[in-house]
Amino acid sequence: MQSQFYGIAALSAVVLQFLPISLPLAIAQEHEGCFMVNASGELVNLSSLCDTEDRRPVLTPEQLKAQAFIEAYIQAANEYEPPLKDFLLQEIRRVPQQKIQTAQKICQEAKEGISIPEWRLRTRVEAIEIADPRKQEEFIADRDLTISLATNHYCPEFANR
């Protein structure tokens, strides 16, 4: 009986050597990244499904400040009634960098001695020169919004002045 057992064990060992056994091993990959080869032999890129790494760019503190300024501008613009709301939203989308530069200029001049109330007065004086009442209202709303947000984001030391 024991010899039969050894015979079956030896025969099993020989048979197992010739059976195709699929092990989940990968020694090398023919393409980089996450992909699959479909039934037609075509390479299908799956990076968007497999990628778990956050690929958003790292923003500098100045870029984060600018982003926060733009988001605050949009949020504040949404508080206005149309068509003024529509104008403000269109402006920040059309020329965001210009709004940021104006805010930075306001703060730079505030540090040089031009007060925030003086900026508001300057806005009213400049608005008088605009003939179209609708454009005048848009100019004042945009500038007032930019002044308020400038002091919140670029020169908080002048926020309560």
Side-chain angles (χ1 to χ4, degrees):
M1 178 103 168
Q2 197 175 24
S3 64
Q4 266 184 334
F5 173 75
Y6 288 124
I8 294 174
L11 181 63
S12 297
V14 170
V15 170
L16 285 176
Q17 285 180 347
F18 297 106
L19 287 178
I21 298 176
S22 173
L23 296 176
L25 296 175
I27 297 171
Q29 196 170 309
E30 63 258 24
H31 299 283
E32 194 172 310
C34 182
F35 67 92
M36 71 174 231
V37 178
N38 65 17
S40 303
E42 297 170 322
L43 184 70
V44 179
N45 186 349
L46 300 175
S47 294
S48 63
L49 299 174
C50 300
D51 195 6
T52 58
E53 199 175 304
D54 189 4
R55 300 221 182 248
R56 288 180 290 175
V58 177
L59 299 177
T60 66
E62 198 60 33
Q63 289 170 322
L64 289 170
K65 196 180 287 188
Q67 183 179 359
F69 175 86
I70 291 168
E71 289 170 2
Y73 188 106
I74 290 169
Q75 185 177 5
N78 278 314
E79 299 296 319
Y80 286 84
E81 294 293 322
L84 199 50
K85 170 185 170 178
D86 300 329
F87 168 79
L88 294 170
L89 291 173
Q90 180 182 7
E91 278 295 288
I92 193 64
R93 289 186 181 110
R94 188 175 67 82
V95 286
Q97 195 59 39
Q98 182 183 23
K99 303 300 175 203
I100 291 166
Q101 288 171 346
T102 300
Q104 291 170 333
K105 179 181 177 184
I106 289 165
C107 287
Q108 183 58 42
E109 290 188 11
K111 290 172 185 171
E112 293 170 0
I114 297 175
S115 70
I116 299 302
E118 195 171 336
W119 259 97
R120 294 188 192 287
L121 179 61
R122 185 188 300 176
T123 298
R124 300 308 184 271
V125 170
E126 289 177 35
I128 290 170
E129 297 174 13
I130 301 171
D132 183 341
R134 183 179 56 86
K135 292 212 178 286
Q136 192 179 62
E137 181 184 25
E138 292 170 348
F139 175 79
I140 292 170
D142 173 58
R143 183 65 66 81
D144 282 347
L145 191 52
T146 303
I147 291 168
S148 296
L149 295 173
T151 59
N152 291 341
H153 294 275
Y154 291 102
C155 50
E157 66 270 25
F158 296 106
N160 295 326
R161 296 183 187 179

